[in-house]
Amino acid sequence: MVLETSFERHALPLEYPFGIARGTTTEREVVTVRIEDDDAVGVGAAAPASHYGETVDTVTAVLPDLLAVVEDEVTDADDLHRLETVERRMRETVRGNPAARCAVSIACHDLVAKRLDVPLYRYWGLDPDRTLETSYTIGLDDLETMREKTETALERGYGTLKIKLGTDRDLEIVETIRSVAPDVDLFVDANEAWEPKEAVRKIDHLAEYDLSFVEQPVPAENPEGLRFVYERSPLPIAADESCVTLADVPQVADRCDIANLKLMKCGGLREAKRMIHAARAHGLEVMLGCMTESNASIAAACHLAPLLDYADLDGSLLLADDPYDGVPLPDGRIDLAGLERSGTGAVRE
Ligand SMILES: [Mg+2]
């Protein structure tokens, strides 16, 4: 059996400029990977984040070596199931580069499940009815635009919103959004923008607005600051930039309530599952988040929904036009049972 592998860059325009505490983007570049055998094509994608040292250039630079691992490891159809070995050898082949490795991991899992003609959640033995709603993110903008985006999100049926914070008008933003969306579940994400004492002061005020949790209040480089906030916060604290790989889980376990994992940070689907179980073993709740990504990668993340407490898998919903269709998200609900395709369900529209 000979596998054919290829990759290509895609520019994905966003529906709105996406503002977080570190800056604003209007377009996202991703790299889509295809791994093809005689009767199926596995698809995956890398959505690299410069915050973690990756760009589309670094992804395309290492993908030939990563795809060579797959071609070398898989010489007959049964070899395709050696997904642990493929992920381990990719980790040994390139240091770091998690988004690039993740693209290949997703494409391999998609291909294996397609060959078995089952959706990925079933290959993993997960219950599609144990699902949840993804949050929909309202990026930073002027107050009036954030209010309009919130009203549009409510019209589209989303019942869980995540608000980006990290400005000098954070309380005003939350007050405004809560006033137009009194009934939704509301998360906030400061993206490392606050100092520890500032964070505690702000969270004390934010607690009036019935928020589910506060994500990454302080910089990841300040782990003691995170503990300071966690010990004083009236709201649960989620760690995102502070919780990147499996080794970070025990490090953050005594300074947050929720671990926000992302495929593009940890480098693969099997690594993500290990992180989910490790986080639980340390008494943490688990959220799976994403970058702005197409369904070529988000669809795979959706299959982990039955293992999560929170999902922030809105990457595709934030795009002006996603070239890929994926797992259905009616009103933001991750409808695995409604997926009628095998593999991850990612398919070019
Ligand atoms: Mg975050």
Side-chain angles (χ1 to χ4, degrees):
M1 187 185 72
V2 178
L3 291 180
E4 291 205 18
T5 64
S6 62
F7 57 88
E8 83 181 292
R9 294 175 181 225
H10 289 285
L12 304 172
L14 306 183
E15 182 180 16
Y16 304 108
F18 189 67
I20 71 167
R22 281 188 291 270
T24 298
T25 45
T26 55
E27 188 178 84
R28 156 68 87 169
E29 256 200 299
V30 299
V31 184
T32 307
V33 169
R34 287 165 57 95
I35 301 177
E36 196 166 353
D37 70 4
D38 306 336
D39 55 26
V41 185
V43 174
S50 56
H51 184 72
Y52 299 107
E54 281 188 289
T55 64
V56 285
D57 289 328
T58 65
V59 169
T60 54
V62 299
L63 273 175
D65 287 344
L66 297 176
L67 291 168
V69 166
V70 180
E71 289 166 20
D72 179 50
E73 200 60 46
V74 180
T75 53
D76 74 49
D78 287 345
D79 292 343
L80 265 176
H81 292 269
R82 298 192 332 205
L83 294 162
E84 281 293 341
T85 306
V86 168
E87 285 198 8
R88 178 177 51 74
R89 283 198 51 200
M90 286 200 293
R91 283 198 301 276
E92 292 165 358
T93 301
V94 298
R95 281 187 187 279
N97 295 282
R101 285 186 283 122
C102 194
V104 178
S105 163
I106 293 170
C108 287
H109 282 79
D110 186 34
L111 182 56
V112 166
K114 277 180 177 154
R115 290 180 57 99
L116 295 170
D117 199 23
V118 293
L120 186 56
Y121 69 80
R122 188 172 299 158
Y123 178 66
W124 281 337
L126 300 177
D127 178 354
D129 294 328
R130 260 192 65 103
T131 191
L132 68 179
E133 235 176 64
T134 176
S135 54
Y136 175 84
T137 304
I138 308 293
L140 283 176
D141 215 315
D142 63 73
L143 211 51
E144 195 44 44
T145 306
M146 289 182 81
R147 183 210 304 269
E148 284 167 17
K149 285 187 203 172
T150 303
E151 285 166 347
T152 304
L154 296 177
E155 283 162 21
R156 291 178 187 174
Y158 301 135
T160 306
L161 301 180
K162 177 156 130 179
I163 313 170
K164 291 296 190 179
L165 296 180
T167 69
D168 52 11
R169 54 204 164 88
D170 289 333
L171 297 178
E172 214 181 334
I173 290 171
V174 173
E175 186 182 5
T176 301
I177 289 182
R178 201 32 126 186
S179 71
V180 291
D183 300 323
V184 299
D185 288 339
L186 214 50
F187 314 158
V188 299
D189 185 356
N191 285 106
E192 312 185 286
W194 299 332
E195 294 301 322
K197 284 183 179 160
E198 173 192 11
V200 172
R201 207 166 51 240
K202 283 191 170 174
I203 295 169
D204 273 339
H205 289 294
L206 291 172
E208 290 170 34
Y209 296 98
D210 189 22
L211 307 181
S212 302
F213 59 80
V214 177
E215 187 174 324
Q216 198 65 42
V218 298
E221 302 82 70
N222 187 358
E224 284 313 309
L226 185 62
R227 191 210 299 272
F228 178 90
V229 177
Y230 166 72
E231 287 175 348
R232 289 160 181 80
S233 172
L235 292 172
I237 299 294
D240 177 358
E241 287 88 341
S242 293
C243 189
V244 179
T245 66
L246 182 60
D248 295 324
V249 171
Q251 305 294 328
V252 298
D254 63 352
R255 54 203 76 192
C256 69
D257 301 278
I258 302 161
N260 183 8
L261 320 178
K262 292 179 185 166
L263 297 184
M264 297 300 151
K265 293 191 296 187
C266 74
L269 288 168
R270 307 185 93 73
E271 188 71 355
K273 285 177 78 179
R274 275 191 286 277
M275 282 186 80
I276 290 170
H277 298 309
R280 290 224 181 282
H282 283 87
L284 298 172
E285 288 196 298
V286 180
M287 167 160 57
L288 187 62
C290 65
M291 309 298 176
T292 38
E293 306 174 28
S294 83
N295 269 314
S297 46
I298 289 282
C302 289
H303 289 257
L304 291 166
L307 297 175
L308 306 176
D309 301 294
Y310 301 97
D312 181 26
L313 297 174
D314 60 350
S316 166
L317 302 176
L318 299 171
L319 301 178
D321 184 26
D322 190 340
Y324 283 85
D325 196 8
V327 173
L329 298 173
D331 298 335
R333 196 172 54 83
I334 301 170
D335 186 13
L336 288 173
L339 177 64
E340 290 172 347
R341 293 183 293 274
S342 61
T344 68
V347 61
R348 186 105 198 215
E349 287 191 298

